[in-house]
Amino acid sequence: MIESFGVSDPGCVRGNNEDFFLLEPAAGLYVVADGMGGALAGEHASRLAVETVRDVILGVHQPASPDDLLDAFAEANQRVAKEAAADPNREGMGTTLVAAVENAAGLFIASVGDSRAYLFENGKLAIITEDQTWVNEVGRRLGLDEETLRQHPMRHVLTMAIGVSGQLRVQHYRLHPSPGALVLLCSDGLHGVTPDEEIGNILAAGGSLEELCRKLVEQARAHGGPDNITAVLLKTTT
């Protein structure tokens, strides 16, 4: 069984929120998306992708399987791309997507883009997902140091997103968290400005899931909150 809580905040700079999250405990489904695109296209892309994943998962025999979640990502990719192509105001829209689905075999996580999943277990924080970004997939392989990467003009460029390519690459992982472990799903509005050490310290301090989520958002805002901030926490209870 899993307890869950999520919160999304526009941050300190932006007037709108292109992040979107979903908690669907009855289906064991938890999702975070960070949209991109002009006007309101980013908001539409993130909501459409999340709602598509929800619809696919709710439409299959429960509990959902890892293949069901991968199918849901593929369907979300097609729907976002189709709507972007049909409306000039939404041309180029897309979204990151990270989701977890619970079944008897554990917790299955899928991700596209740079929204992340972390595991906090036995007092240690570990990144589960791999960012699909220029920095991670190109810059580091070129041997650029971390300080250069932090300042690089390509640092915000995604190498993969929902809705922008017919050749979708979905990262996927299986977890078996111990009772009491925490899984954090978040947009880069949190992890992009808040060092992992600070995220780990907040989770280590304890509290309710709501308290922890709100502290994470407050910490990102304390770092300037230049982007929308979303944090979803899952706690394994059995």
Side-chain angles (χ1 to χ4, degrees):
M1 295 292 293
I2 285 180
E3 297 177 6
S4 63
F5 189 85
V7 63
S8 191
D9 187 275
C12 303
V13 175
R14 299 191 175 185
N16 63 325
N17 193 344
E18 296 184 327
D19 288 1
F20 193 74
F21 76 91
L22 171 77
L23 309 178
E24 196 74 46
L29 176 67
Y30 311 90
V31 193
V32 168
D34 177 0
M36 58 187 184
L40 299 179
E43 294 179 31
H44 182 72
S46 60
R47 179 182 289 270
L48 178 61
V50 170
E51 291 180 346
T52 300
V53 170
R54 176 202 63 196
D55 293 347
V56 171
I57 295 300
L58 291 180
V60 302
H61 179 73
Q62 300 296 319
S65 71
D67 285 343
D68 292 330
L69 187 58
L70 295 177
D71 289 344
F73 270 54
E75 180 66 20
N77 189 58
Q78 292 177 9
R79 286 188 64 185
V80 173
K82 183 177 180 180
E83 292 211 11
D87 186 346
N89 292 321
R90 292 173 175 167
E91 184 179 359
M93 76 174 181
T95 184
T96 70
L97 196 60
V98 61
V101 67
E102 178 192 19
N103 58 32
L107 199 63
F108 184 75
I109 292 175
S111 73
V112 169
D114 66 349
S115 289
R116 288 182 180 176
Y118 290 85
L119 175 66
F120 184 77
E121 191 173 42
N122 299 322
K124 296 182 179 180
L125 183 73
I127 303 173
I128 302 304
T129 52
E130 298 179 25
D131 295 345
Q132 291 175 310
T133 61
W134 185 93
V135 163
N136 193 50
E137 296 188 346
V138 180
R140 288 196 173 95
R141 294 177 184 177
L142 291 174
L144 300 180
D145 61 77
E146 291 303 311
E147 182 58 31
T148 299
L149 292 174
R150 278 193 291 270
Q151 305 297 325
H152 200 281
M154 297 284 282
R155 65 189 180 278
H156 298 303
V157 174
L158 297 176
T159 54
M160 183 56 58
I162 294 289
V164 301
S165 172
Q167 302 298 315
L168 185 66
R169 291 185 292 116
V170 183
Q171 313 270 19
H172 50 89
Y173 317 82
R174 188 181 295 280
L175 299 182
H176 300 279
S178 59
L182 297 173
V183 173
L184 169 65
L185 308 179
C186 66
S187 63
D188 70 334
L190 175 62
H191 71 74
V193 297
T194 309
D196 289 350
E197 181 179 2
E198 293 180 12
I199 294 174
N201 289 341
I202 288 171
L203 299 181
S208 69
L209 296 187
E210 178 176 0
E211 290 169 339
L212 293 175
C213 281
R214 297 199 183 282
K215 287 178 181 178
L216 289 169
V217 169
E218 289 170 5
Q219 193 71 1
R221 289 179 65 90
H223 283 287
D227 200 354
N228 306 145
I229 310 155
T230 298
V232 166
L233 276 174
L234 314 178
K235 183 177 182 180
T236 53
T237 59
T238 57

